[in-house]
Amino acid sequence: MPISTKHEQLAAALRKRISDGVYQDELPSDAALMSEFGYSRATVRQAFTALENEGLIVARSGMRRRVSRPQRWNWPMTTWEKAHNSSEDAWAASIREQGGEPSASVSVRIDVAEPDVAAALQIEPGANVLVRARVRSVNGEPHQLADSYFPHWLMEQHPIFSQPGDLSAPGGLLASVGLPQARYLDEINARMPTPDETQLLGVARGVPLIVHTRTGYHADGRPLRHMITRMAADRVHVQYELDA
Amino acid sequence: MPISTKHEQLAAALRKRISDGVYQDELPSDAALMSEFGYSRATVRQAFTALENEGLIVARSGMRRRVSRPQRWNWPMTTWEKAHNSSEDAWAASIREQGGEPSASVSVRIDVAEPDVAAALQIEPGANVLVRARVRSVNGEPHQLADSYFPHWLMEQHPIFSQPGDLSAPGGLLASVGLPQARYLDEINARMPTPDETQLLGVARGVPLIVHTRTGYHADGRPLRHMITRMAADRVHVQYELDA
DNA sequence: CAGTGGTCTAGACCACGCT
DNA sequence: GCGTGGTCTAGACCACTGG
């Protein structure tokens, strides 16, 4: 059963030309395809929109559409923060190793726990949590939104959590107060970004968001930290190394 | 800076009504919104298309658009096939545990290795590989495309890999020939599906694909198996359990 | 400036699903 | 049959980008 609609036929033809290398970089204009295929502009644009939503091409007003070729960075999830001299966290070290220049901006606040965060931290929904919101950038471009949530009882027991500043410590903040994380539960999901996220991360049309959540537990089973990291899926390879 | 275009204003209004619960299930028709907002049909449809591409709503011809509420299944990635009596693999057992009815259809073929598969298996691109392609279903609906690639030297050393059939064995095929996998390297990516994948998996518009690849290694370092699993992102929670 | 993609309109016909 | 979403056209104006 062949494709019947014009815009799907056109989209299929363009996909083939892209994968065959006919269009290495620039794509034809609306007008060029209108005359080549004899379709109206709306139909041509519907085909282009489909390819954009598949992440194959990117469009910018005033310029020809281009084939999308984003650079990707590996993100190893089973390399922990080294406890020694390094002042960088595992993510920054990994990016630097790959030839990128990592940076981060941090803001700390106290907020009430949303139901999903409360469930992960095993506290009551609406209870206070300490939130450390980070925007991680590579080569000056925003790359990740990494938010950590700490339960309220940590603030009461360890004054360092109530101090202003970026809440970082060599070897890891939790380890520095004698609460090392012994176990992690990770979950990975993907979805399309909201308009807010699109703007904050500069996500292109048709690129999903990878949402990585990590909950860290003390050896006695208490959840110590819940971390939600969001990033454009076309810029990373999330990696796990496991022993059977 | 407020939103200036009509279709974005409308999309924002509809997003708000959905999250506020104004539209629990059915959404208004094109005509209803055209008269409520005074916009042309194309503009109304552009707003709806944006919400579809965000995975918020689903549309079916002849019926009103509906708010999307897919059922999700957990997928634990650190639970290995139990070596004993169970005839099911870890995935099927997990689905059954969650109240679903797993099934699978298997086809086996010999093919030449694509560059990415060859690199993972440390063989030459174009060399033969044994491919076990599985379609995993839950409650009769296609759920995953799980393809395993085995290097050619396995077929030469172990005739069982050249037999017809579904290539399954209690405790795992590789373990049954004395080649247990000692280490895994996993990689998780997300992208929009191709038209083929959309059809095979029944993916809704605006839903990304999660692509999980796992390479299994012998204790001596040889790659034994490369597995690529593709699934709709709105139907799973990929989970990892890790010790620090 | 000319060319590009982005937005918007008014109108038409079709295929689908329900009653 | 009738309302729904899906497709398609012709034409218009705007905003952005480059030379």
Side-chain angles (χ1 to χ4, degrees):
Chain A
M1 184 66 169
I3 297 165
S4 53
T5 63
K6 293 181 177 179
H7 72 266
E8 281 187 337
Q9 284 177 12
L10 178 51
L14 295 176
R15 271 185 218 105
K16 181 159 182 3
R17 290 185 186 177
I18 290 172
S19 70
D20 288 354
V22 179
Y23 304 140
Q24 294 281 348
D25 199 36
E26 272 194 357
L27 283 98
S29 67
D30 290 0
L33 288 177
M34 286 166 72
S35 63
E36 181 185 348
F37 286 80
Y39 296 160
S40 73
R41 187 164 174 225
T43 302
V44 169
R45 289 178 61 77
Q46 195 173 352
F48 272 135
T49 302
L51 299 207
E52 277 184 69
N53 290 334
E54 290 164 23
L56 286 177
I57 63 175
V58 287
R60 275 178 54 196
S61 185
M63 296 182 64
R64 289 279 184 84
R65 278 167 260 251
R66 291 177 163 270
V67 177
S68 171
R69 307 193 192 281
Q71 179 178 5
R72 299 181 84 116
W73 304 89
N74 292 327
W75 191 21
M77 304 304 303
T78 41
T79 308
W80 320 114
E81 284 91 337
K82 299 298 176 296
H84 39 272
N85 48 14
S86 170
S87 63
E88 290 188 329
D89 63 18
W91 172 80
S94 162
I95 292 291
R96 193 178 301 280
E97 204 170 82
Q98 296 172 62
E101 179 62 32
S103 59
S105 75
V106 185
S107 78
V108 176
R109 67 175 197 276
I110 293 176
D111 209 338
V112 295
E114 299 291 324
D116 50 340
V117 171
L121 291 177
Q122 296 174 23
I123 59 178
E124 312 76 43
N128 281 347
V129 280
L130 183 68
V131 186
R132 179 181 59 179
R134 283 180 295 194
V135 181
R136 286 169 163 170
S137 300
V138 176
N139 298 338
E141 295 288 316
H143 190 69
Q144 289 189 339
L145 305 175
D147 300 338
S148 284
Y149 298 82
F150 299 93
H152 51 84
W153 56 263
L154 267 177
M155 292 182 263
E156 292 148 17
Q157 293 182 14
H158 300 279
I160 189 178
F161 283 95
S162 303
Q163 283 176 6
D166 70 355
L167 275 182
S168 69
L173 179 63
L174 286 164
S176 74
V177 298
L179 287 171
Q181 298 167 87
R183 210 170 116 259
Y184 297 106
L185 278 185
D186 284 19
E187 186 168 305
I188 300 112
N189 294 289
R191 58 171 171 79
M192 297 312 285
T194 65
D196 283 359
E197 292 164 336
T198 300
Q199 212 211 330
L200 280 170
L201 286 169
V203 191
R205 272 267 297 281
V207 175
L209 221 61
I210 287 187
V211 183
H212 177 266
T213 72
R214 168 167 290 182
T215 311
Y217 296 84
H218 189 266
D220 65 14
R222 278 179 298 172
L224 296 175
R225 189 186 60 154
H226 186 62
M227 188 170 167
I228 304 178
T229 308
R230 294 166 287 172
M231 55 196 329
D234 65 348
R235 295 195 275 231
V236 280
H237 297 291
V238 176
Q239 296 173 323
Y240 283 86
E241 194 173 344
L242 305 164
D243 291 319
Chain B
M1 184 66 168
I3 298 166
S4 52
T5 64
K6 293 181 176 181
H7 72 266
E8 280 186 339
Q9 283 177 12
L10 178 52
L14 295 175
R15 272 186 218 106
K16 181 157 180 10
R17 289 185 186 177
I18 289 171
S19 69
D20 288 354
V22 178
Y23 304 141
Q24 295 280 347
D25 199 36
E26 270 194 356
L27 282 98
S29 67
D30 289 2
L33 288 177
M34 287 167 71
S35 63
E36 180 185 347
F37 286 81
Y39 296 162
S40 75
R41 190 168 172 222
T43 302
V44 169
R45 289 178 61 77
Q46 196 173 351
F48 272 135
T49 302
L51 299 207
E52 278 184 70
N53 290 335
E54 289 164 23
L56 286 178
I57 64 176
V58 288
R60 277 177 53 198
S61 184
M63 297 182 64
R64 287 278 185 83
R65 277 168 260 251
R66 291 176 165 274
V67 178
S68 172
R69 304 191 194 284
Q71 179 177 4
R72 298 181 84 117
W73 304 89
N74 292 327
W75 191 22
M77 304 303 303
T78 40
T79 309
W80 322 113
E81 285 91 337
K82 298 297 174 295
H84 39 273
N85 50 13
S86 170
S87 62
E88 289 188 328
D89 64 17
W91 173 81
S94 163
I95 292 292
R96 194 179 299 284
E97 204 170 80
Q98 296 172 62
E101 179 62 32
S103 58
S105 74
V106 185
S107 77
V108 175
R109 67 175 196 276
I110 293 176
D111 209 338
V112 294
E114 299 290 324
D116 50 341
V117 172
L121 291 177
Q122 296 174 22
I123 59 178
E124 311 75 43
N128 280 348
V129 280
L130 182 68
V131 187
R132 178 180 61 178
R134 285 180 294 194
V135 180
R136 286 169 163 170
S137 300
V138 177
N139 298 337
E141 296 288 318
H143 189 70
Q144 287 188 343
L145 304 175
D147 301 338
S148 284
Y149 298 82
F150 300 93
H152 52 83
W153 57 263
L154 267 178
M155 293 183 263
E156 293 147 18
Q157 292 181 15
H158 301 278
I160 188 178
F161 284 94
S162 302
Q163 283 174 6
D166 69 354
L167 275 183
S168 68
L173 178 63
L174 286 165
S176 74
V177 297
L179 288 171
Q181 297 166 87
R183 208 169 117 260
Y184 297 107
L185 278 186
D186 284 19
E187 186 168 305
I188 300 114
N189 294 289
R191 58 172 170 80
M192 297 313 283
T194 66
D196 283 359
E197 293 164 335
T198 300
Q199 212 211 332
L200 281 169
L201 287 169
V203 190
R205 270 268 296 282
V207 175
L209 221 60
I210 288 188
V211 183
H212 177 266
T213 73
R214 167 166 289 183
T215 310
Y217 296 85
H218 189 266
D220 65 14
R222 279 179 298 173
L224 298 174
R225 188 186 61 153
H226 187 61
M227 186 170 168
I228 304 178
T229 309
R230 293 166 288 174
M231 55 196 327
D234 65 347
R235 291 182 222 168
V236 280
H237 296 293
V238 176
Q239 297 174 323
Y240 283 86
E241 195 173 343
L242 305 164
D243 291 319

